[in-house]
Amino acid sequence: MDGDSGCSWVGWGRSLVLNLLGSSFDVAVIFLEKIPRKIGDVVEDFELVREEFVAEYASQARLWKHKKTGTELLSILNADENKTFGIVFRTPPKDSTGVPHILEHSVLCGSRKYPVKEPFVELIKSSLNTFLNAFTFPDKTCYPVASCNEQDFYNLVDVYMDAVLHPAMTPDTLRQEGHHFELDDIDGKMTIKGVVYNEMKGAYSDPERVLAEYSQEAIFPDITYGVESGGHPRDIPDLTWEQFKGFHDR
């Protein structure tokens, strides 16, 4: 996540600026609704590079760029009381082992600041969120949250930021979310299990999903859209810890 990192943030309803303090990436949220800005203004090392009023949504859009990392931040200011935040990463895979999909699950299994087993589950139970999820696309991964409660919103942003930037991942995380062997009976056969592995086995039981994959492979045989970012059950067991950890480090 250095240089032009491919990392971006979006804030809807309220304007968000996230302060990258050295390597700590601590979160600072600043409201800018009533503060006039001009192109070139710098707030917490983010420079305003474009501003435009979007009449269709009665919203003021501001595009900021972090001076050190190149990270882009899009803030949408309007009267909607539902405050929304999303952090998005470019995650194009090179094969169908499902590394971006498994990573999407794994980063929400505890982090440096929130060392609990499943903070995502705890947030679902205790938060006032109006939306809480994560999505893996063929070339990017998105982590959106939303809440009408201001304090709850800040907390959601803090948890998600720490999760994606400082996950407490170990080889056991890959085994749980990706793939591992199980033996239910001493005389039985070992079977492959894993959260994403099982999910994708279910996905590939849908004939339309299989047809869509073959069509995409035929159209884009040599680029990232020709592989399965969610992971193919035949390839997921090939993913190693070194490959998994290295993908996040990049």
Side-chain angles (χ1 to χ4, degrees):
M1 280 168 274
D2 53 350
D4 208 283
S5 62
C7 169
S8 60
W9 293 306
V10 178
W12 297 87
R14 297 292 183 95
S15 178
L16 305 181
V17 173
L18 304 176
N19 185 20
L20 283 70
L21 302 175
S23 61
S24 66
F25 291 90
D26 291 330
V27 176
V29 182
I30 300 175
F31 287 109
L32 302 175
E33 293 98 320
K34 298 180 180 179
I35 302 177
R37 297 291 180 186
K38 61 181 184 298
I39 303 301
D41 279 1
V42 177
V43 178
E44 302 290 350
D45 287 334
F46 279 92
E47 181 179 0
L48 182 60
V49 295
R50 184 178 177 185
E51 182 171 17
E52 185 174 335
F53 183 75
V54 184
E56 293 89 340
Y57 297 99
S59 300
Q60 190 74 18
R62 289 172 174 170
L63 180 63
W64 304 78
K65 191 168 186 178
H66 193 257
K67 299 182 71 173
K68 182 178 179 181
T69 66
T71 296
E72 293 182 334
L73 185 152
L74 174 64
S75 65
I76 308 294
L77 287 61
N78 56 42
D80 190 348
E81 67 175 9
N82 191 38
K83 294 165 279 291
T84 304
F85 168 86
I87 181 167
V88 185
F89 297 92
R90 283 200 301 262
T91 54
K94 296 181 179 179
D95 54 39
S96 297
T97 57
V99 57
H101 188 190
I102 298 172
L103 187 62
E104 173 219 308
H105 283 244
S106 298
V107 299
L108 297 174
C109 291
S111 63
R112 184 172 65 186
K113 190 174 180 180
Y114 300 97
V116 296
K117 183 179 180 181
E118 294 179 321
F120 182 76
V121 175
E122 297 303 318
L123 286 174
I124 291 177
K125 292 191 296 185
S126 60
S127 168
L128 299 174
N129 72 84
T130 54
F131 192 84
L132 184 71
N133 214 325
F135 304 100
T136 300
F137 294 88
D139 55 4
K140 61 181 176 291
T141 305
C142 308
Y143 299 87
V145 300
S147 179
C148 292
N149 182 280
E150 192 169 291
Q151 184 174 348
D152 181 56
F153 174 67
Y154 289 164
N155 184 60
L156 292 173
V157 172
D158 194 43
V159 173
Y160 260 49
M161 285 291 291
D162 200 60
V164 299
L165 297 173
H166 303 293
M169 295 189 304
T170 69
D172 286 335
T173 311
L174 174 58
R175 295 186 188 104
Q176 172 182 294
E177 301 298 325
H179 61 87
H180 62 271
F181 288 105
E182 286 189 10
L183 182 63
D184 296 326
D185 187 276
I186 192 170
D187 296 319
K189 293 184 178 180
M190 282 191 173
T191 57
I192 300 174
K193 297 289 181 66
V195 174
V196 171
Y197 179 82
N198 293 343
E199 178 184 332
M200 296 310 294
K201 280 185 67 177
Y204 274 89
S205 67
D206 180 359
E208 291 186 3
R209 171 62 181 264
V210 176
L211 176 61
E213 183 205 353
Y214 285 143
S215 300
Q216 194 157 308
E217 285 181 358
I219 298 172
F220 306 108
D222 303 317
I223 60 176
T224 187
Y225 303 106
V227 299
E228 175 55 74
S229 62
H232 194 293
R234 69 163 181 258
D235 298 316
I236 290 175
D238 295 333
L239 181 62
T240 67
W241 164 250
E242 289 74 22
Q243 293 170 326
F244 180 64
K245 183 66 165 57
F247 191 85
H248 181 268
D249 291 343
R250 289 195 298 274

